[in-house]
Amino acid sequence: MRALPILSALLVCGSIAFGAPLHAQSSQPFDRDGWYTWQVEAIDDAPSWCCYAKAHGSAATPGCDLDGKTHSYGASSDFPYDVTTIRVLARSERGRLTRVRAVAADCPVTGGGNVNDLGDVAAAESVTWLMPVVEDRNSISRDALAAIAVHKGDAAFAALEQTARTDAYFRNRKAAVFWLGQVRIDEGGELLRELMRKDDSIDMRKHAVFSYSQSAAPDRESALMEIVEDSGMASADRKNALFWLVQTDSSDSIDYIQQLLTVDD
């Protein structure tokens, strides 16, 4: 099973995380306790996310058990599910969302009792349901951002951009930047390049460089090289760009590093 780069560091299902108070908005349908599910149109080339269980000595088995406590979560080349649409899974308890996950529409899902199926939902409306979870800034905020990242349309991108630029919770900013790099680099590339160079936080500049280096941006190597060569930037930023340039392991980056190491006689 091949997971997306660095995915396991952000998306690992564990014990149910309690925390996000649900904002009182009439547009939100979560008026009863329990699991809800709905489907939205996915971005092009969305990852085929699902849950996986693996017994000792056996291959991974796909399927999300809503009653389960732990399982891995990610994308596998062994199970290339259709991701024209994605399924959002959310648990409401005592007026609070306690779990949020987005999976491929064909990913097997079991358990959860009487799951409230909301059917097909416009991506923009789904974003309005999930953003209060992001704004509450706790352990499931990043799960909501991951779900929003694979929603098709301008509303999802605008939510990620706003979070990446201005959220007071640094972990939310990092998650938004990460997903812009992983799944929306065509839209988010300009923003990431800006954050790499101009953000006030050195930690965000470092994270933006990392996210860009892990993306499929066609100019990722040249963008990092420009930072390395920019004497107007802080030494720490230039060193960080050089580090992640090495990690791309592309022919262009290897040639560039060899040139840097060449010493004229």
Side-chain angles (χ1 to χ4, degrees), residues 146-169:
I148 290 170
V150 290
H151 282 50
K152 190 166 188 174
D154 294 339
F157 177 74
L160 292 171
E161 180 179 28
Q162 175 185 335
T163 303
R165 286 187 182 279
T166 66
D167 201 293
Y169 188 44

Side-chain angles (χ1 to χ4, degrees), residues 244-263:
W244 287 110
L245 179 63
V246 173
Q247 305 310 308
T248 65
D249 199 30
S250 69
S251 58
D252 287 344
S253 64
I254 292 172
D255 290 345
Y256 180 77
I257 300 301
Q258 288 177 338
Q259 290 176 15
L260 289 180
L261 295 174
T262 298
V263 178

Side-chain angles (χ1 to χ4, degrees), residues 49-50 73 86-89 100-104 143 146-148 150-151:
W49 287 339
C50 194
Y73 177 65
I86 59 166
R87 177 187 299 176
V88 181
L89 305 166
V100 175
R101 282 288 180 262
V103 298
D143 297 330
I148 290 170
V150 290
H151 282 50

Side-chain angles (χ1 to χ4, degrees), residues 1-263:
M1 182 176 70
R2 184 181 61 83
L4 288 175
I6 319 301
L7 186 64
S8 59
L10 287 181
L11 293 176
V12 177
C13 298
S15 299
I16 291 177
F18 292 88
L22 190 63
H23 292 194
Q25 296 182 12
S26 60
S27 63
Q28 294 177 330
F30 315 116
D31 55 347
R32 295 196 301 265
D33 287 358
W35 281 97
Y36 289 78
T37 184
W38 64 94
Q39 293 194 152
V40 299
E41 190 174 3
I43 58 172
D44 295 339
D45 300 319
S48 55
W49 287 339
C50 194
C51 310
Y52 297 91
K54 186 174 182 180
H56 293 295
S58 65
T61 301
C64 295
D65 179 6
L66 299 183
D67 297 323
K69 294 293 185 181
T70 60
H71 50 257
S72 64
Y73 177 65
S76 170
S77 57
D78 295 331
F79 301 97
Y81 293 115
D82 171 52
V83 282
T84 305
T85 59
I86 59 166
R87 177 187 299 176
V88 181
L89 305 166
R91 180 174 175 81
S92 177
E93 187 170 340
R94 297 188 297 275
R96 302 163 74 90
L97 286 186
T98 58
R99 290 276 291 274
V100 175
R101 282 288 180 262
V103 298
D106 294 338
C107 171
V109 177
T110 59
N114 185 23
V115 178
N116 300 285
D117 190 347
L118 304 177
D120 293 334
V121 173
E125 184 172 17
S126 179
V127 170
T128 67
W129 295 349
L130 294 172
M131 275 305 293
V133 183
V134 176
E135 293 161 359
D136 285 325
R137 300 172 181 137
N138 57 36
S139 59
I140 64 169
S141 297
R142 287 171 291 173
D143 297 330
L145 283 166
I148 290 170
V150 290
H151 282 50
K152 190 166 188 174
D154 294 339
F157 177 74
L160 292 171
E161 180 179 28
Q162 175 185 335
T163 303
R165 286 187 182 279
T166 66
D167 201 293
Y169 188 44
F170 190 67
R171 290 186 177 183
N172 275 358
R173 292 191 69 200
K174 288 183 67 176
V177 167
F178 177 83
W179 290 118
L180 284 167
Q182 284 291 297
V183 300
R184 302 187 83 113
I185 193 60
D186 289 346
E187 298 168 281
E190 182 177 355
L191 171 58
L192 264 61
R193 290 191 296 271
E194 176 186 336
L195 295 176
M196 286 160 56
R197 289 180 162 275
K198 299 180 180 180
D199 197 83
D200 292 338
S201 167
I202 186 173
D203 289 333
M204 178 50 66
R205 295 197 302 272
K206 290 174 64 175
H207 183 68
V209 167
F210 156 72
S211 298
Y212 208 76
S213 75
Q214 297 294 304
S215 77
D219 69 336
R220 64 175 186 160
E221 290 89 359
S222 60
L224 297 183
M225 291 176 195
E226 288 174 4
I227 293 177
V228 172
E229 296 177 356
D230 189 346
S231 60
M233 294 194 67
S235 175
D237 290 325
R238 298 172 70 189
K239 289 178 180 178
N240 183 58
L242 181 60
F243 175 84
W244 287 110
L245 179 63
V246 173
Q247 305 310 308
T248 65
D249 199 30
S250 69
S251 58
D252 287 344
S253 64
I254 292 172
D255 290 345
Y256 180 77
I257 300 301
Q258 288 177 338
Q259 290 176 15
L260 289 180
L261 295 174
T262 298
V263 178

